[in-house]
Amino acid sequence: MNIYANKIVFFLLSVFLLSCTGLQLAGVPQEIKHYCGQISGSTEVINETMKTCIQYEQEAKKELLKMSIPFEVAKYCRDLSESTGGSYQVMKTCVIQNMSSSPEE
């Protein structure tokens, strides 16, 4: 679990350090708005932290939808993601790590 904590810290630091421009909340899924609002400290103000979080979360969600994920891995990673507030980035990292460490069938 220590590696997951490191990934979460890295993601949170990235949210504070990186930025994107021209992002609006229209069309952003509610769960991403909610999660990024928690991270940025406000769902009312679109600050750089919120913009960056939304960008990363949307990219992670798109990548997850393209993956073929075994049920057990999906459930474990969904539970882990929900325990951190519902981050798609956390779930994607978990899936990648668990699928790369799974023995070949």
Side-chain angles (χ1 to χ4, degrees), residues 45-60:
V45 178
I46 304 173
N47 57 33
E48 292 303 310
T49 303
M50 177 83 135
K51 290 177 187 179
T52 303
C53 178
I54 289 170
Q55 178 186 1
Y56 276 104
E57 289 299 304
Q58 288 181 317
E59 288 172 6

Side-chain angles (χ1 to χ4, degrees), residues 36-100:
C36 292
Q38 290 177 325
I39 296 297
S40 70
S42 172
T43 56
E44 304 300 320
V45 178
I46 304 173
N47 57 33
E48 292 303 310
T49 303
M50 177 83 135
K51 290 177 187 179
T52 303
C53 178
I54 289 170
Q55 178 186 1
Y56 276 104
E57 289 299 304
Q58 288 181 317
E59 288 172 6
K61 184 177 181 179
K62 286 178 188 175
E63 290 177 33
L64 282 165
L65 291 172
K66 293 177 186 177
M67 294 176 162
S68 177
I69 306 168
F71 176 79
E72 298 80 19
V73 173
K75 181 173 179 354
Y76 172 75
C77 292
R78 187 177 308 110
D79 291 345
L80 177 66
S81 172
E82 288 174 4
S83 75
T84 65
S87 171
Y88 286 106
Q89 185 67 32
V90 170
M91 184 169 177
K92 183 185 106 178
T93 301
C94 176
V95 167
I96 290 169
Q97 290 178 346
N98 279 278
M99 288 179 62
S100 67

